[in-house]
Amino acid sequence: GCRDRRPEPVRRTRMLMGTIVEVVAFGDRKPTLAAIDRALDEMARIEELMSPRRPGSDLARLAAARDFVTLSPETARLLRLSLAINRRSGGAFDPTLGALKRLWDIEGEHPAVPDEAALRRALALTGPDRLLLDGDRARVAAPGVGVDLGGIAKGYAIDRAAAVLRQAGITHASINAGGDLRLIGDRFGRPWRIGIQHPRRQGEMLAILELEDAAVVTSGDYERYFMADGKRYHHIFDPATGRPARGCQSVTVVAGDAVRADALATAAFVLGPKRGLELLRREGVEGVLVAADGRTLVTEGLKGRIQWR
Ligand code: ADP
Ligand code: MG
Ligand code: MG
């Protein structure tokens, strides 16, 4: 059996999508490394296609055009999925928040709390009706509307990397993009042990999950933020107010694929713990939500499987 010959894990890291991506896979060293490189190349390709800031990317062309532009079929598909999740989350997940992201500049050089007038102007450039999709063709409703897949593209890239590894015959692997991950099979005879970061104690785990064949994606307010007047301004916006969502410190979603986990983690974060938990249940995924006051909520399916720290 496979227990007789437990191969060494092969690992490689690369900086992608603004974070460190680590792939660990089991198999013979040379072909496994080659497969990992192809999986990382695939993530780099998706980053190039979907980053709004890269000249020539699908989203940069979409923002610049006055008329319909033809997108790659996969960008169009991801936009369609994003709009579907927008509807299913009551608008909480919104792929048209580019103007808000520019205004707040949370991850940029000059993050600042905007004044009311600027906020209203940016909000007027957001909303699912500001993105017109017709098959693989799309256009924005007005100049200044920004389409931003930052809440879902990393999950999609992780799924694509998993598909590349599987095609190479790899049956035990993990792809970890800054804490968002996808597991293929188990850790060669044992489960993967996945830590959920404590949102207020840096470097400490809130809980551990033992999992196989799953995606685990977290949205939190503790990595990309700035402080002003003792308040934390982070990068997940409530589309209704144009301001950072206030109900949660973090949401971790466990699902079969990372693309849905990514979008649903962002959406549940915006909805807050109670309605967020309801969304996860409705969507048939599992999750852990940490409310703004530090209370934790867990879906039924994780209750027996979570080890609290
Ligand atoms: P992370 O950046 O850690 O992957 P998320 O998956 O929650 O966290 O994505 C946050 C990013 O998604 C933001 O930087 C922004 O680009 C975009 N975003 C912010 N608010 C929303 C929202 N309500 N719906 C969809 N995308 C959002
Ligand atoms: Mg997300
Ligand atoms: Mg994310």
Side-chain angles (χ1 to χ4, degrees), residues 293-305:
D293 61 7
R295 271 182 316 128
T296 53
L297 291 82
V298 186
T299 55
E300 281 306 314
L302 283 189
K303 278 187 181 154
R305 280 200 291 162

Side-chain angles (χ1 to χ4, degrees), residues 151-152 219 262-263 266:
I152 190 170
S219 277
D262 196 352
T266 305

Side-chain angles (χ1 to χ4, degrees), residues 5-152:
R5 203 179 59 88
R6 184 171 206 277
E8 282 295 302
V10 179
R11 60 183 81 226
R12 182 153 275 185
T13 61
R14 204 189 286 181
M15 199 64 203
L16 284 164
M17 305 186 118
T19 193
I20 298 170
V21 181
E22 181 185 49
V23 179
V24 177
F26 289 88
D28 293 332
R29 184 170 171 81
K30 219 174 148 206
T32 303
L33 267 181
I36 292 175
D37 281 336
R38 286 200 300 282
L40 291 167
D41 291 347
E42 173 69 355
M43 294 181 76
R45 183 186 67 79
I46 292 158
E47 180 178 18
E48 230 155 84
L49 199 61
M50 299 185 186
S51 162
R53 283 176 305 279
R54 292 206 185 204
S57 76
D58 272 5
L59 296 189
R61 288 190 301 115
L62 179 57
R66 293 283 156 272
D67 202 350
F68 276 93
V69 292
T70 302
L71 304 172
S72 71
E74 43 184 337
T75 304
R77 214 176 334 116
L78 200 57
L79 287 174
R80 239 187 315 281
L81 176 61
S82 296
L83 291 175
I85 293 176
N86 173 269
R87 284 190 295 277
R88 283 164 18 211
S89 66
F93 184 86
D94 189 334
T96 71
L97 302 187
L100 280 174
K101 191 171 163 136
R102 269 201 311 275
L103 177 66
W104 283 87
D105 199 27
I106 303 249
E107 292 153 74
E109 300 276 307
H110 307 288
V113 181
D115 62 51
E116 278 300 329
L119 202 56
R120 267 198 309 277
R121 278 196 301 276
L123 267 174
L125 294 170
T126 71
D129 58 337
R130 312 258 116 194
L131 168 63
L132 305 153
L133 249 185
D134 177 16
D136 292 347
R137 291 163 18 98
R139 81 175 180 89
V140 290
V145 172
V147 174
D148 168 41
L149 291 171
I152 190 170

